[in-house]
Amino acid sequence: MKELELKITGNQYMADTIVEVDGKPVKFKKNEYGNLVYSYQTESDKVNIKAYRLLDIGGIWWFLTQLLFFVISIFGIFDVHRRQKNIIIDYDADIQLQEKDNFVTIKLNPVLQHGKPVTLETKLQAQVNANEFIPDAKAAKTRKLLKFTKLVLALAMIAIIIFCFCKFFIGM
Amino acid sequence: MKVFIKNKFISFGGGSTVKDENGNDVYYVKGRVFSPTRVKFVCDMDGNKLYKVRNKWFNYFTYRAYVYDQENNKIACVKHPPFSGKKYIIQGYQDEINIDGAFFSATSTITRNGEEVGKIIRTSAIINDAFCLEADEKDMPFMIALVIAIDNIVDKITRSK
């Protein structure tokens, strides 16, 4: 039985990047440095590692909760959500295992449209099948629509506040 | 390479000078005048912002500061665990870095992936803080950002007492 010691570094947000080993998503443990570590045992001489990132974009309920947060945070002034770029990662590699000392470190790079998402550090033989940032056009479109809706909502709320103020306090 | 980081005596934003052993300016640190999280930028002499450092908004038992790159991507979190003396752990970075020193010593050692890669020596200063940083030249801007992050954390701890 061969054992693969996998470590993911450079990961700023725990739930951001999903890693699959031989097609199965992996549940990592966190070490002292916030890096994710995992031991995988297999009879095979080769393992396949895939990494991808999910953006914080959803369906209609996600859209409505975003509008709710916008209102609660007073037009986004006190909004603590981080700003995501509309870019996902696509990483696929096959690693040849040895009898022992199978250490692989996947270093996640910051998001840059023309850079590489992953730097692989290992003494094992590896064939990288895909390693790129991909702009997500659908996410970009959804965010644009959300931005426009927020603007319309803000203007409508300001108009209502001004109307109420004029009606109840000035008596117009 | 060895550099000397010295906080300015009079500076509205909390800036610092970074000079090499010959007294030449190699980098500089500039802050913002009104900044609740003490945002500071590590810049080269052409004025390019290389790294941004800021404190975490609310800290309870563990104090943290964040380091961002030129594209404003968060690349590291400098964590000071409670009751850890002079230990600082860099989380979320591509390499495993920690900074540690003996309690009564002015020197802290920087280790990356278990190997020593630098030293921070706090030089005596009555009014403003000063540090001597020894590290590899190519890592120097990031190491300066770590020193600024640590200085920010220490200031926050001191002011909260």
Side-chain angles (χ1 to χ4, degrees), chain B residues 26-27 40 94 115 120 138-139 154 157:
Chain B
V26 285
Y27 300 99
K40 290 183 183 169
Q94 292 181 335
E115 286 178 33
I120 303 171
K138 61 176 172 53
D139 298 327
V154 169
I157 293 171

Side-chain angles (χ1 to χ4, degrees), chain A residues 3 5 9-10 18 29 33 43 47 51-52 57 60-61 69 76 82 101 118 123 129 134 138 143 165:
Chain A
E3 192 165 355
E5 298 287 342
T9 67
I18 295 172
K29 281 186 186 162
Y33 299 95
E43 298 279 1
V47 290
Y52 51 94
I57 300 274
I60 182 68
W61 290 114
F69 286 138
R82 61 188 169 95
D101 295 336
V118 169
K123 289 189 175 129
N129 305 318
I134 301 171
K138 190 179 170 194
R143 284 225 169 90
F165 182 79

Side-chain angles (χ1 to χ4, degrees), chain A residues 32-33 35, chain B residues 76-79 87-100 109-115 117 139 142-143 146:
Chain A
E32 186 189 23
Y33 299 95
N35 297 327
Chain B
C77 166
V78 180
K79 176 181 163 183
K87 186 172 181 175
Y88 297 86
I89 300 168
I90 309 328
Q91 290 187 327
Y93 190 59
Q94 292 181 335
D95 296 312
E96 293 181 344
I97 299 177
N98 77 40
I99 299 169
D100 203 354
T109 307
I110 307 170
T111 48
R112 173 159 59 195
N113 299 328
E115 286 178 33
V117 292
D139 298 327
F142 181 67
M143 293 296 170
L146 293 185

Side-chain angles (χ1 to χ4, degrees), chain A residues 14-137:
Chain A
M14 263 292 266
D16 217 22
T17 306
I18 295 172
V19 176
E20 287 181 1
V21 177
D22 284 342
K24 289 180 203 144
V26 158
K27 202 168 177 182
F28 288 90
K29 281 186 186 162
K30 228 174 162 179
N31 70 5
E32 186 189 23
Y33 299 95
N35 297 327
L36 308 175
V37 291
Y38 179 69
S39 279
Y40 178 72
Q41 292 182 338
T42 178
E43 298 279 1
S44 174
D45 292 330
K46 199 164 74 163
V47 290
N48 173 260
I49 299 177
K50 274 196 177 81
Y52 51 94
R53 181 172 283 155
L54 296 178
L55 290 176
D56 186 21
I57 300 274
I60 182 68
W61 290 114
W62 170 86
F63 201 89
L64 291 172
T65 48
Q66 291 302 304
L67 294 177
L68 178 66
F69 286 138
F70 179 69
V71 171
I72 291 169
S73 64
I74 311 175
F75 304 140
I77 294 170
F78 297 104
D79 190 355
V80 296
H81 290 96
R82 61 188 169 95
R83 308 279 181 258
Q84 274 189 326
K85 293 180 181 163
N86 299 317
I87 294 174
I88 53 177
I89 67 172
D90 179 21
Y91 181 76
D92 190 328
D94 293 316
I95 314 276
Q96 208 72 31
L97 296 178
Q98 292 169 353
E99 282 306 318
K100 54 178 185 168
D101 295 336
N102 294 308
F103 297 108
V104 173
T105 301
I106 290 180
K107 295 185 175 185
L108 296 174
N109 298 320
V111 176
L112 277 174
Q113 194 151 355
H114 301 292
K116 294 282 177 207
V118 169
T119 304
L120 187 69
E121 195 176 88
T122 181
K123 289 189 175 129
L124 306 172
Q125 221 176 341
Q127 186 188 325
V128 179
N129 305 318
N131 186 11
E132 52 190 357
F133 286 114
I134 301 171
D136 189 342

Side-chain angles (χ1 to χ4, degrees), chain B residues 54-56 59 62-66 77-79 91 153:
Chain B
R54 70 164 184 88
N55 280 353
K56 189 178 175 190
N59 296 279
T62 305
Y63 288 84
R64 287 185 171 91
Y66 300 121
C77 166
V78 180
K79 176 181 163 183
Q91 290 187 327
I153 288 172

